[in-house]
Amino acid sequence: MALDTMYAGKVNSPATTLDGAINDSVTTINVVDGGDLPDAPNIAVIGTGEDAETILYGAKNANELSSVTRGFEGTAKAWDSGTSIARLFTAYDYNTLKSNITDLDGRLGETNTASNIGGYEEIFKQKEGVDLEFRTLRAGTGIDIYNSVPTGAWDITNCSYDAVSKSVSSQDVAPLDVAFNSDGSKMYIVGGGNDTVFQYTLSTPWNVSTATYDTSKSVSSQESSPYGVAFNPDGSKMYIVGYDYNTVFQYTLSTPWNVSTATYDTVSKNVSSQDSSPRAVAFNSDGSKMYIVGYDYNTVFQYTLSTPWNVSTATYDSISKDVSSQDSSPYGVAFNSDGSKMYIVGSKNDTVFQYTLSTPWNVSTATYDTVSKNVSSQDSIPFGVAFNSDGSKMYIVGGGNDTVFQYTVGGTAEYDYVQIDLDLPDDSTKFLDGDGIWRVLVEADISDLGTYLEVNLTSPAKGDILYYDGDDWVNLGIGTSGQVLTVSAGGIPEWATP
């Protein structure tokens, strides 16, 4: 189970003040000195005492906090200009810290159960379905204890289809991209059939099967072949990219996240110098970077916006990432929340490919993770890819079935193990079977769990540890509570009392 999110603090908790009065529902808040607050996402306390309100802000740009969740703790209310706002230690911080410590403490006593026997040297494993506990074993000299980390958010290694989908053919028979608002209660489709952005409400956030059609915005006056759609974090801006004009167009939504209120800003950025067939557009978290994936060169191009979220200020960074080795027909691009991962979906291989960026948000540092998810069983012409806010869900829209498909990202690791860095005999793997007998599995026979050597112990007990002294297998026996397992100069493990 994932730990609860903890937010960074600020040394000495400096306070700034509100730069203007706010009501109880605004989700963009200006402060006098944004430097006094930590980077987003984070929490802050407005006011003091029992009437204070804790907010959660999803983005921070200079002195502007946006994507704000009001009443994160306390009650959302109107505040006067000049009211104090600071990153203080809150009840959420205390409760989350306590919960995470309890969770981690519980994990230290977990029983490791192997679901797969791998051909690795110097690993103690147990037979499938048999519990082997290391509750008394603690880290000491020469000892490394691991629980294999399950693949989690933003890692599509174990991505699986939820058997959940939403047909959008009633709105457009050529859906080309999909996007969501910050809390998953709204979904947006851009279609090539009607040159329009269509909006849906999800009664259960992030579950596309609960989506119902709301309203729309035609963008044909700017682009008659729109391919990609994106929004800024608070839903006040929308961006369209298409291949007729090879341009990113910018719109303002007078009601955030309601595309029917969108008006063209007469602001755009032509990207034809990089690719004359742009297929998708994305931004980093603060709007200072823009990314285009292009069909002509099978490449992601990166731009810097001198004024965040204003595409007319975009200049090409002369930075790009060729993705043709994975797909020669890329259509969609997405990033994780901190810019350390990038995802490409293409119609050549009907697959989502995952990359790691060693420098976050710099695509020239992207390397393919050799991790991908084929989606052809759902759509043979995938065009757009999106994720929910915490990276636990992935969404694909395609032209094969005119449908948005939903996936769960992450899963359980292949096996848990405890690794002990001792001088063990060549290519051996040991485990305690259900009868309390230590089995020695030779690497050549790993694929056959029925082939092993037996090492019988006298009165075997849970917690016994077997080691090889150079001539024979020796049972170290169970240590007492508080002892530490160490290794002597001769390479022999032994229990010691600190």
Side-chain angles (χ1 to χ4, degrees), residues 349-431:
N349 294 309
D350 310 326
T351 294
V352 181
F353 298 95
Q354 175 179 305
Y355 304 76
T356 291
L357 284 67
S358 56
T359 300
W361 302 115
N362 184 328
V363 297
S364 68
T365 69
T367 55
Y368 177 47
D369 288 345
T370 319
V371 169
S372 62
K373 172 61 180 178
N374 185 280
V375 297
S376 59
S377 296
Q378 286 74 57
D379 202 295
S380 59
I381 316 175
F383 288 134
V385 59
F387 291 81
N388 70 343
S389 56
D390 66 7
S392 63
K393 295 290 181 182
M394 181 178 79
Y395 306 87
I396 294 292
V397 67
N401 293 305
D402 309 325
T403 293
V404 180
F405 298 95
Q406 177 178 310
Y407 303 76
T408 291
V409 178
T412 305
E414 287 297 317
Y415 51 79
D416 292 330
Y417 63 89
V418 174
Q419 177 172 317
I420 302 183
D421 187 16
L422 304 177
D423 185 18
L424 302 177
D426 293 340
D427 301 329
S428 62
T429 301
K430 295 159 290 301
F431 58 88

Side-chain angles (χ1 to χ4, degrees), residues 482-497:
Q483 284 189 312
V484 176
L485 187 61
T486 62
V487 180
S488 70
I492 301 299
E494 57 187 21
W495 292 108
T497 303

Side-chain angles (χ1 to χ4, degrees), residues 225-276:
S225 295
Y227 260 84
V229 62
F231 294 84
N232 72 341
D234 65 6
S236 62
K237 294 289 182 182
M238 180 177 76
Y239 306 87
I240 293 293
V241 68
Y243 74 81
D244 269 0
Y245 295 98
N246 315 313
T247 294
V248 180
F249 297 96
Q250 176 179 310
Y251 302 77
T252 291
L253 285 68
S254 57
T255 300
W257 301 115
N258 185 331
V259 297
S260 68
T261 69
T263 55
Y264 177 46
D265 287 347
T266 318
V267 168
S268 63
K269 172 63 181 179
N270 185 281
V271 295
S272 60
S273 297
Q274 286 70 58
D275 201 296
S276 58

Side-chain angles (χ1 to χ4, degrees), residues 129-464:
V130 178
D131 290 340
L132 174 60
E133 296 186 356
F134 287 85
R135 293 181 185 274
T136 59
L137 184 62
R138 296 195 307 170
T141 304
I143 305 298
D144 291 315
I145 304 174
Y146 299 95
N147 273 318
S148 59
V149 179
T151 59
W154 303 110
D155 186 341
I156 64 174
T157 302
N158 291 325
C159 184
S160 59
Y161 176 47
D162 288 347
V164 169
S165 62
K166 172 63 179 179
S167 173
V168 295
S169 59
S170 296
Q171 285 72 56
D172 203 296
V173 294
L176 297 169
D177 201 7
V178 59
F180 293 84
N181 71 343
S182 55
D183 65 7
S185 63
K186 297 289 183 181
M187 180 176 78
Y188 306 88
I189 295 294
V190 64
N194 294 306
D195 310 327
T196 294
V197 179
F198 299 96
Q199 176 180 311
Y200 304 77
T201 291
L202 285 67
S203 57
T204 299
W206 304 114
N207 184 328
V208 298
S209 68
T210 69
T212 54
Y213 173 54
D214 282 346
T215 189
S216 64
K217 169 64 180 179
S218 173
V219 295
S220 60
S221 296
Q222 287 74 53
E223 176 61 68
S224 56
S225 295
Y227 260 84
V229 62
F231 294 84
N232 72 341
D234 65 6
S236 62
K237 294 289 182 182
M238 180 177 76
Y239 306 87
I240 293 293
V241 68
Y243 74 81
D244 269 0
Y245 295 98
N246 315 313
T247 294
V248 180
F249 297 96
Q250 176 179 310
Y251 302 77
T252 291
L253 285 68
S254 57
T255 300
W257 301 115
N258 185 331
V259 297
S260 68
T261 69
T263 55
Y264 177 46
D265 287 347
T266 318
V267 168
S268 63
K269 172 63 181 179
N270 185 281
V271 295
S272 60
S273 297
Q274 286 70 58
D275 201 296
S276 58
S277 296
R279 289 298 191 258
V281 60
F283 294 84
N284 70 344
S285 56
D286 65 6
S288 62
K289 296 289 180 182
M290 181 177 76
Y291 307 87
I292 296 293
V293 64
Y295 190 84
D296 281 351
Y297 295 103
N298 312 314
T299 293
V300 179
F301 299 95
Q302 177 178 311
Y303 304 76
T304 290
L305 283 68
S306 57
T307 300
W309 304 112
N310 185 328
V311 297
S312 68
T313 69
T315 55
Y316 177 47
D317 288 344
S318 298
I319 287 177
S320 62
K321 173 61 181 178
D322 187 318
V323 296
S324 60
S325 296
Q326 286 70 59
D327 202 295
S328 57
S329 298
Y331 272 87
V333 61
F335 293 84
N336 71 343
S337 56
D338 65 7
S340 62
K341 294 287 183 183
M342 179 177 77
Y343 309 86
I344 294 292
V345 66
S347 62
K348 181 69 172 180
N349 294 309
D350 310 326
T351 294
V352 181
F353 298 95
Q354 175 179 305
Y355 304 76
T356 291
L357 284 67
S358 56
T359 300
W361 302 115
N362 184 328
V363 297
S364 68
T365 69
T367 55
Y368 177 47
D369 288 345
T370 319
V371 169
S372 62
K373 172 61 180 178
N374 185 280
V375 297
S376 59
S377 296
Q378 286 74 57
D379 202 295
S380 59
I381 316 175
F383 288 134
V385 59
F387 291 81
N388 70 343
S389 56
D390 66 7
S392 63
K393 295 290 181 182
M394 181 178 79
Y395 306 87
I396 294 292
V397 67
N401 293 305
D402 309 325
T403 293
V404 180
F405 298 95
Q406 177 178 310
Y407 303 76
T408 291
V409 178
T412 305
E414 287 297 317
Y415 51 79
D416 292 330
Y417 63 89
V418 174
Q419 177 172 317
I420 302 183
D421 187 16
L422 304 177
D423 185 18
L424 302 177
D426 293 340
D427 301 329
S428 62
T429 301
K430 295 159 290 301
F431 58 88
L432 187 64
D433 76 2
D435 299 319
I437 298 176
W438 283 98
R439 309 287 190 179
V440 179
L441 208 70
V442 181
E443 185 174 16
D445 299 320
I446 290 279
S447 61
D448 181 6
L449 290 178
T451 304
Y452 48 73
L453 305 174
E454 291 190 11
V455 180
N456 290 288
L457 303 179
T458 301
S459 302
K462 183 186 294 184
D464 280 342

